[in-house]
């Protein structure tokens, strides 16, 4: 083999190695990126992000999906972290997170969980829960042990209230009714 052929082989190998290093650098750069959500597809649980100039395809965001299942869809404009472990953005996923000037942290308290969705706010502390909302619907049997304080009206329909085993509704009656200032007997 001539010197010229040997040099050509070395130049070709160096060119190839430079390309490999460049691809690896690009892949490493794409492994973890701060990004902004630009599109959300709630039907497929995927979103598209702009990761500082790299626009992804629709890729999934992380959620709890085992015996506990969460559903927290992303919002357009939301700050996220984009991960592509092998450096290929098409095989990446999104991790929600990060407060911004447009979405600041809701409080500066430790040991409290806070969740706000629209006009509804839920706060949980070690010894209490607080829920602020326009309408709260419960479809369940509810058992309360402790005192209940209601500030406001209570409206009932299609049901009754029972006190010490006696139904108090629009059909209950009292005995011993006498006109005047006498007190009636207990409901019958």
């Amino acid at each position: 083999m001539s010197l010229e052929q040997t040099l050509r082989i070395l130049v070709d190998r160096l060119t190839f190695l430079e390309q490999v290093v460049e691809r690896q650098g690009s892949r490493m750069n794409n492994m973890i990126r701060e990004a902004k959500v630009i599109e959300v597809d709630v039907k497929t649980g995927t979103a598209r992000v702009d990761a500082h100039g790299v626009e992804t395809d629709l890729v999934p965001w992380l959620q709890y999906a085992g015996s506990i299942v969460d559903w927290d869809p992303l919002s357009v404009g939301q700050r996220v972290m984009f991960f592509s472990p092998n450096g290929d953005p098409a095989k990446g996923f999104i991790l929600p997170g990060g407060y911004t000037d447009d979405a600041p942290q809701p409080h500066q308290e430790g040991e409290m969980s806070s969740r706000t969705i629209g006009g509804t706010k839920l706060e949980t502390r070690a010894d209490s829960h607080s829920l602020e909302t326009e309408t709260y619907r419960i479809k369940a049997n509810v058992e309360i042990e402790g005192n209940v304080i209601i500030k406001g009206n209570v409206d009932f329909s299609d049901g009754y209230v029972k006190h010490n085993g006696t139904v108090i509704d629009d059909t209950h009656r009292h005995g011993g009714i006498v006109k005047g200032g006498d007190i009636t007997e207990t409901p019958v």
Side-chain angles (χ1 to χ4, degrees):
M1 183 178 331
S2 71
L3 179 59
E4 188 175 308
Q5 289 174 322
T6 303
L7 287 174
R8 172 54 46 213
I9 291 172
L10 285 173
V11 167
D12 289 345
R13 291 196 115 200
L14 285 173
T15 302
F16 173 75
L17 289 174
E18 285 176 338
Q19 292 170 349
V20 168
V21 169
E22 187 176 318
R23 280 194 306 268
Q24 291 299 337
S26 178
R27 283 189 167 196
M28 286 182 65
N29 188 38
N30 287 333
M31 289 176 75
I32 302 173
R33 286 178 164 246
E34 182 181 16
K36 191 174 198 178
V37 176
I38 56 175
E39 180 185 344
V40 177
D41 184 343
V42 293
K43 290 180 182 176
T44 62
T46 58
R48 186 181 321 276
V49 299
D50 180 349
H52 295 283
V54 175
E55 190 174 304
T56 68
D57 291 330
L58 289 169
V59 293
W61 63 82
L62 295 185
Q63 294 279 181
Y64 284 107
S67 60
I68 297 174
V69 178
D70 281 345
W71 175 246
D72 297 309
L74 299 176
S75 303
V76 171
Q78 182 176 350
R79 178 181 179 212
V80 295
M81 294 300 292
F82 177 69
F83 292 86
S84 54
N86 68 354
D88 180 1
K91 296 178 181 171
F93 58 88
I94 301 166
L95 181 64
Y99 297 112
T100 64
D101 291 339
D102 295 331
Q105 68 187 52
H107 56 79
Q108 292 80 37
E109 293 184 46
E111 299 183 22
M112 181 180 89
S113 171
S114 176
R115 185 170 190 85
T116 302
I117 303 172
T120 299
K121 184 175 185 178
L122 174 65
E123 293 180 347
T124 303
R125 292 176 176 81
D127 61 349
S128 68
H129 301 283
S130 170
L131 175 66
E132 295 175 24
T133 187
E134 181 72 26
T135 302
Y136 188 70
R137 289 182 180 86
I138 299 174
K139 186 175 182 178
N141 295 323
V142 178
E143 183 176 316
I144 299 172
E145 187 172 321
N147 299 320
V148 177
I149 299 171
I150 299 172
K151 295 181 180 181
N153 299 324
V154 177
D155 293 323
F156 290 94
S157 63
D158 300 327
Y160 60 85
V161 175
K162 205 180 250 191
H163 173 49
N164 290 334
T166 302
V167 173
I168 305 170
D169 64 4
D170 56 357
T171 64
H172 84 272
R173 298 176 295 144
H174 291 264
I177 296 176
V178 178
K179 285 187 175 186
D182 287 348
I183 296 175
T184 66
E185 295 174 1
T186 60
V188 290

